[in-house]
Amino acid sequence: MTDRILDFLRRTRPEGPCLVVDLDVVRDNYLRFEKAMPDSRIFYAVKANPAPEILSLLASLGSNFDCASVQEIDMARAAGATPDRISFGNTIKKERDVAAAFERGVRLFAVDCIAEVDKVARQAPGARVFCRILCDGEGAEWALSRKFGCEPSMAVDVLDHAHRSGLVAYGVSFHVGSQQKNTQAWDSALQSAAEIFRIMSDRGVELKMVNLGGGFATRYLEDIPGEGDYGNAINECIRAHFGNRIPETIIEPGRGMVGNAGVIKSEVILISQKSEGDIRWVYLDVGKFNGLAETMDEAIRYPVMTPRQGVEVPCVLAGPTCDSVDVMYEKKPYPLPINLEIGDEILIAGTGAYTTTYASVAFNGFPPLQSYVI
Ligand SMILES: *Cc1c(COP(=O)(O)O)cnc(C)c1O
């Protein structure tokens, strides 16, 4: 929550719910990452928030971009990133999209199996590939679990196959799970990466790069490690496992780059009870389908601010749509002031990442979440 955002809301009084992102905070975050991990190239994970103003700012600061689709690649290019600053980091790509990326000059691709290597070898001859390894996401609030990556032992075969297919077997990647508050979470994946480097080296292929992924936390209700804490812990692990053969590294912060830069303005539509004396239900004009998708399984718990100072009572917090899954917090109710009223303005902090693009197009006719970047 920044004064610039509060001032913007006071001055412009936007009608309906909206996200406001303060670019000054994004700039601070970028500079902090750069300072904490000076030897790593930063690839902003575009999916976290692809607003053109954010991409342009980051491009001007020197950021690179981790893109998951041709559309994201085009957004990064429109923001001023040359193709050598773009990685096609999705391990699940249509072959024609690999070709489209290659045609645009992209030469860095993620893979996690032989079939994907074959697509890249056919459509992006000579490109660099890195193999993603599985990471259990232990300790993360939004684990990315088993969908991406392969076992380290298989990564060796995948990279070997890439090498023999005329690609540059460039390195290893992993993601320790999003909103990862444990700074030691990188350790075991780095140990596996170092092992893969050694085996590949024995086979005559020198890998160069470790992609450390994202996972850097943004502040919600609880304290989080700073960028410097992550940097120190990760550097120690790299030294422990790679000795004096330190690889190139890249990081792909998404949430940590933009999460704390955004605030969603919302409004209380209804406060009710299911029976006399029962828990209060507070319905907002935003919910799971209007930007708060990450409240799924109550995973991410956002700071919710109201204009009231009364005693707080536990409430169920729900969204405005006609789907009964559109409830943010129920298993663990959210404390809100007892004197909260229908029509009160609600501010939801820490919503700069994974909100606008997760909002539905028009479920129940509600328009997609408005976004203002200031
Ligand atoms: C989503 C994603 C990121 C960003 O993760 P955060 O936890 O938001 O920092 C980075 N890399 C890849 C490959 C991703 O899919």
Side-chain angles (χ1 to χ4, degrees):
M1 179 67 54
T2 67
D3 288 344
R4 286 186 73 218
I5 292 177
L6 292 175
D7 189 54
F8 172 83
L9 288 172
R10 224 177 286 122
R11 272 187 301 110
T12 60
R13 305 227 135 268
E15 156 64 22
C18 63
L19 169 72
V20 187
V21 175
D22 184 343
L23 283 177
D24 284 354
V25 179
V26 180
R27 181 184 293 105
D28 282 354
N29 289 339
Y30 182 86
L31 296 176
R32 260 199 292 273
F33 276 118
E34 200 175 49
K35 183 154 176 251
M37 306 187 73
D39 300 325
S40 298
R41 287 174 80 196
I42 300 171
F43 283 69
Y44 171 60
V46 173
K47 72 170 186 283
N49 191 327
E53 300 89 339
I54 294 175
L55 300 184
S56 297
L57 168 71
L58 291 172
S60 75
L61 290 170
S63 186
N64 306 276
F65 297 89
D66 167 41
C67 299
S69 64
V70 176
Q71 289 78 4
E72 285 189 353
I73 290 170
D74 285 341
M75 290 184 227
R77 289 166 72 231
T82 45
D84 56 308
R85 290 164 64 187
I86 293 172
S87 154
F88 201 158
N90 194 341
T91 53
I92 305 156
K93 303 173 283 301
K94 288 179 181 164
E95 187 161 333
R96 58 183 180 276
D97 289 345
V98 175
F102 188 72
E103 193 187 276
R104 286 159 171 76
V106 176
R107 296 292 181 269
L108 186 59
F109 295 84
V111 295
D112 67 359
C113 65
I114 301 254
E116 195 71 15
V117 169
D118 287 338
K119 291 184 208 168
V120 178
R122 283 191 292 268
Q123 303 301 335
R128 294 168 164 179
V129 295
F130 53 90
C131 185
R132 180 153 168 183
I133 55 174
L134 279 168
C135 214
D136 64 11
E138 177 81 32
E141 287 180 18
W142 191 262
L144 299 170
S145 71
R146 290 193 64 80
K147 181 169 174 184
F148 313 99
C150 61
E151 291 292 344
S153 55
M154 187 183 255
V156 172
D157 297 330
V158 170
L159 289 164
D160 221 17
H161 185 70
H163 176 69
R164 281 185 279 105
S165 308
L167 296 167
V168 178
Y170 197 57
V172 174
S173 78
F174 53 83
H175 195 299
V176 296
S178 202
Q179 188 70 2
Q180 176 57 267
K181 293 194 283 189
N182 176 8
T183 59
Q184 294 304 317
W186 280 258
D187 185 60
S188 68
L190 278 166
Q191 182 175 12
S192 302
E195 184 63 19
I196 295 168
F197 270 57
R198 271 191 289 278
I199 297 171
M200 290 301 292
S201 177
D202 290 345
R203 297 188 185 184
V205 179
E206 301 297 335
L207 301 179
K208 298 233 159 48
M209 185 272 288
V210 177
N211 177 345
L212 301 160
F216 308 96
T218 201
R219 193 173 193 292
Y220 296 113
L221 290 165
E222 290 164 13
D223 286 339
I224 53 159
E227 287 83 351
D229 301 319
Y230 286 109
N232 292 340
I234 291 171
N235 276 333
E236 249 169 64
C237 296
I238 292 176
R239 255 180 267 121
H241 298 301
F242 285 86
N244 53 11
R245 309 187 65 181
I246 302 293
E248 290 171 27
T249 51
I250 71 180
I251 56 171
E252 299 176 329
R255 189 186 306 278
M257 191 73 86
V258 293
N260 65 339
V263 172
I264 286 177
K265 179 204 76 120
S266 174
E267 169 185 334
V268 177
I269 302 179
L270 179 67
I271 301 174
S272 65
Q273 287 166 308
K274 302 296 172 190
S275 68
E276 207 58 55
D278 205 359
I279 191 165
R280 287 155 65 99
W281 281 65
V282 174
Y283 299 89
L284 304 181
D285 62 356
V286 293
K288 278 214 173 82
F289 300 101
N290 322 88
L292 303 181
E294 285 200 314
T295 57
M296 212 182 293
D297 297 327
E298 310 196 8
I300 299 292
R301 227 171 147 76
Y302 294 105
V304 173
M305 276 151 301
T306 76
R308 311 276 170 188
Q309 249 91 60
V311 180
E312 292 184 337
V313 292
C315 300
V316 175
L317 199 61
T321 68
C322 297
D323 188 316
S324 57
V325 306
D326 190 10
V327 176
M328 284 80 82
Y329 306 117
E330 183 178 17
K331 271 184 287 185
K332 196 173 167 210
Y334 205 101
L336 291 170
I338 189 139
N339 53 349
L340 192 68
E341 284 184 17
I342 293 172
D344 277 355
E345 184 175 284
I346 298 288
L347 296 177
I348 307 170
T351 42
Y354 304 121
T355 49
T356 46
T357 46
Y358 266 163
S360 65
V361 175
F363 184 39
N364 277 157
F366 295 119
L369 184 65
Q370 267 293 328
S371 160
Y372 302 94
V373 180
I374 60 172

